[in-house]
Amino acid sequence: MMKQPEDIEIRTLKIGDDGSIPNNPDYPLLVYKDVAAEGDAERILHEHNWLGSWRGKVYTEHHYHSNTHEVLVVDAGQATLHLGGGAGEKVTVEKGDALILPAGFGHKYLEGSDDFAVIGGYPGGMEHDFLYGRPEERPQNLENIKEVPLPDQDPLFGADGPLFEYWK
């Protein structure tokens, strides 16, 4: 059973472009703490049109997606992620947490429990690119990030979800 938006802690993370990882000029990364119940995440993401789901780990190199937003729901274990590129923050996440990464926001796995796993998805099942902050990725990918539309629904709470309070 999912918690209601008013019953969860929501943390925002806004990191500027560090010259390598652009992050997002308009939207913060959102961390919904202890929001997802076991076994519900993938079904709920699909109900809210966040598709292309997969289960696995977070890549161990700083990377971002310029053409889509992404949700990561921690399905098992705990980990420390480096969010926002080299100038970003180290954030510990654990089973039940969800991260909503706006297009361009860097993320990297640092360390965690052996059983750590996330379920990922993208609005409308968008095929995501995979970028590492290399100079040749600019300026086109900076333009791509600006062109990514606001999703139709919050991945966990639908059309009236808290995402829209933070992403305006």
Side-chain angles (χ1 to χ4, degrees):
M1 183 77 174
M2 286 273 299
K3 291 185 177 180
Q4 293 304 305
E6 58 273 10
D7 296 330
I8 62 170
E9 173 191 344
I10 298 175
R11 179 170 179 220
T12 63
L13 191 59
K14 185 78 172 145
I15 307 286
D17 185 335
D18 69 4
S20 177
I21 301 295
N23 295 307
N24 192 288
D26 300 315
Y27 306 139
L29 179 146
L30 302 175
V31 180
Y32 293 1
K33 294 297 292 178
D34 191 27
V35 67
E38 189 167 358
D40 278 351
E42 195 165 17
R43 176 186 57 79
I44 290 168
L45 295 179
H46 287 193
E47 283 176 5
H48 297 129
N49 199 34
W50 285 65
L51 307 171
S53 60
W54 54 272
R55 186 179 193 277
K57 304 234 183 251
V58 176
Y59 197 62
T60 58
E61 186 174 342
H62 286 292
H63 68 284
Y64 67 95
H65 313 294
S66 75
N67 64 340
T68 186
H69 309 298
E70 179 176 37
V71 62
L72 300 173
V73 180
V74 182
D75 192 46
Q78 64 80 34
T80 301
L81 304 178
H82 198 175
L83 303 173
E89 287 187 32
K90 295 175 183 172
V91 174
T92 299
V93 294
E94 55 197 0
K95 183 176 177 175
D97 292 349
L99 295 90
I100 306 172
L101 296 98
F105 214 100
H107 47 295
K108 171 185 177 178
Y109 174 87
L110 292 175
E111 61 184 4
S113 61
D114 290 342
D115 64 340
F116 175 72
V118 296
I119 294 172
Y122 310 91
M126 181 73 185
E127 286 287 325
H128 62 283
D129 57 11
F130 216 86
L131 303 164
Y132 303 95
R134 298 184 180 119
E136 62 270 19
E137 295 170 358
R138 295 170 176 251
Q140 181 56 52
N141 290 320
L142 299 178
E143 288 304 312
N144 292 351
I145 291 164
K146 292 178 190 171
E147 298 298 319
V148 176
L150 197 62
D152 294 332
Q153 298 194 53
D154 179 301
L156 297 171
F157 297 106
D160 297 323
L163 169 96
F164 301 107
E165 296 171 28
Y166 297 95
W167 290 11
K168 296 179 183 176

